[in-house]
Amino acid sequence: MSSLRAVLDGLFRLVFPDPGGCPVCGAGVAEALCPACRAEIESLSGEPHCDRCGRFFSPVPAPEPRLCRDCRRDAPPFERCRAYAPYDGVVRDAVHRLKYGRRPDLAVFLGGLMIRTVRSDPAYAGADLVVPVPLSREAFKRRGFNQAELLAREVGGQLNVPVRPALDKVRDTPAQAGLPRAARLTNLSGCFRFADKPDFLRGRTVIVVDDVLTTGSTLSEAAKVLLEARASRVLGAVLVAARI
Ligand SMILES: [Zn+2]
Ligand SMILES: [Zn+2]
């Protein structure tokens, strides 16, 4: 490194101090996650889940057929959703660091985990398009990036499927957490708008990517809009899903 470059680098670090260390456990490493946290996250997988929405059954044993109560009662508009792991422990910390700790670099590792899940399910083979769940304009300004879009770029890149931000979020919605199920569904109603060329989706299979699936109502709302825009199939892929 030239001395000028070193001086500039030093100045840059004064203005933007490096957060330093593993964003989950704080161990002193330069990479996105320390090897121990990485190994722990990589060892997760294979827990029984709902065949439709992908949420994880807890405690086991899972019911037969493997459908959660919500999906039995009222099948969601998407064909299926799959998650890499349940939303807890070290992977939950990593998602929080990605979103709230401004560590968009974590999306490369976390998106790589989603690829394993998507590749292991033949239903996802032959998808035409990857569409990220959008943030509202205000939320995007606050955070500076859309974590779902970063993950979608990893998934699309590795599947060799184009990524298309075909949805806009037209209004900010109150946090879903803590709302009863009925209120969650109306809370999101009409919050997405199709934002691509008319007929672009006709007959296509779309994978909608998000970071977290809790009730499935965000994915349902996105799927409704994409199906209205003539997509033939809508599948979901998320990094983590709630336990039910
Ligand atoms: Zn760590
Ligand atoms: Zn379900």
Side-chain angles (χ1 to χ4, degrees), residues 77-79 126 128 200-206 223 226-235:
F78 53 87
E79 192 177 304
D128 301 298
F200 181 71
L201 290 188
R202 187 187 284 273
R204 297 194 185 220
T205 297
V206 179
L226 296 170
L227 291 168
E228 273 165 24
R230 307 290 183 85
S232 65
R233 297 168 65 212
V234 177
L235 303 153

Side-chain angles (χ1 to χ4, degrees), residues 68-105:
C68 73
R69 223 171 44 181
D70 290 342
C71 290
R72 260 174 229 259
R73 193 169 52 190
D74 192 8
F78 53 87
E79 192 177 304
R80 66 174 59 193
C81 182
R82 291 295 177 263
Y84 173 71
Y87 190 28
D88 50 33
V90 68
V91 71
R92 185 191 173 104
D93 294 344
V95 171
H96 283 202
R97 285 308 170 115
L98 165 68
K99 283 164 79 166
Y100 310 117
R102 290 173 186 270
R103 290 296 300 255
D105 53 320

Side-chain angles (χ1 to χ4, degrees), residues 53 55 70 76-78 176 181 184-185 188 212-222:
C53 71
R55 288 185 294 173
D70 290 342
F78 53 87
Q176 291 284 91
R181 181 176 154 79
R184 283 176 161 168
L185 293 173
L188 291 173
V212 181
L213 182 136
T214 44
T215 61
S217 36
T218 300
L219 182 57
S220 290
E221 201 54 36

Side-chain angles (χ1 to χ4, degrees), residues 5-205:
R5 176 75 199 276
V7 169
L8 289 176
D9 213 55
L11 280 174
F12 183 84
R13 285 191 190 286
L14 266 178
V15 183
F16 303 104
D18 187 345
C22 170
V24 172
C25 71
V29 286
E31 313 95 88
L33 283 171
C34 79
C37 288
R38 201 177 267 258
E40 191 178 337
I41 292 177
E42 284 182 328
S43 72
L44 303 168
S45 75
E47 289 202 38
H49 56 76
C50 171
D51 280 342
R52 187 76 187 239
C53 71
R55 288 185 294 173
F56 294 92
F57 293 114
S58 177
V60 282
E64 277 305 330
R66 286 196 177 184
L67 286 173
C68 73
R69 223 171 44 181
D70 290 342
C71 290
R72 260 174 229 259
R73 193 169 52 190
D74 192 8
F78 53 87
E79 192 177 304
R80 66 174 59 193
C81 182
R82 291 295 177 263
Y84 173 71
Y87 190 28
D88 50 33
V90 68
V91 71
R92 185 191 173 104
D93 294 344
V95 171
H96 283 202
R97 285 308 170 115
L98 165 68
K99 283 164 79 166
Y100 310 117
R102 290 173 186 270
R103 290 296 300 255
D105 53 320
L106 278 170
V108 176
F109 171 63
L110 298 174
L113 301 173
M114 290 177 68
I115 280 290
R116 292 192 201 172
T117 309
V118 167
R119 284 224 172 101
S120 69
D121 189 326
Y124 290 77
D128 301 298
L129 216 57
V130 172
V131 173
V133 168
L135 290 179
S136 69
R137 204 171 287 230
E138 295 72 27
F140 185 85
K141 264 192 208 155
R142 272 197 305 272
R143 190 165 300 157
F145 60 91
N146 175 6
Q147 69 283 351
E149 187 165 348
L150 299 181
L151 295 171
R153 298 217 174 272
E154 294 303 316
V155 171
Q158 295 209 30
L159 290 181
N160 215 6
V161 171
V163 179
R164 196 94 174 184
L167 293 171
D168 272 348
K169 191 166 186 190
V170 289
R171 60 185 173 82
D172 232 338
T173 43
Q176 291 284 91
L179 291 178
R181 181 176 154 79
R184 283 176 161 168
L185 293 173
T186 52
N187 180 30
L188 291 173
S189 180
C191 74
F192 297 129
R193 183 181 60 195
F194 181 62
D196 214 312
K197 287 183 240 149
D199 255 16
F200 181 71
L201 290 188
R202 187 187 284 273
R204 297 194 185 220
T205 297

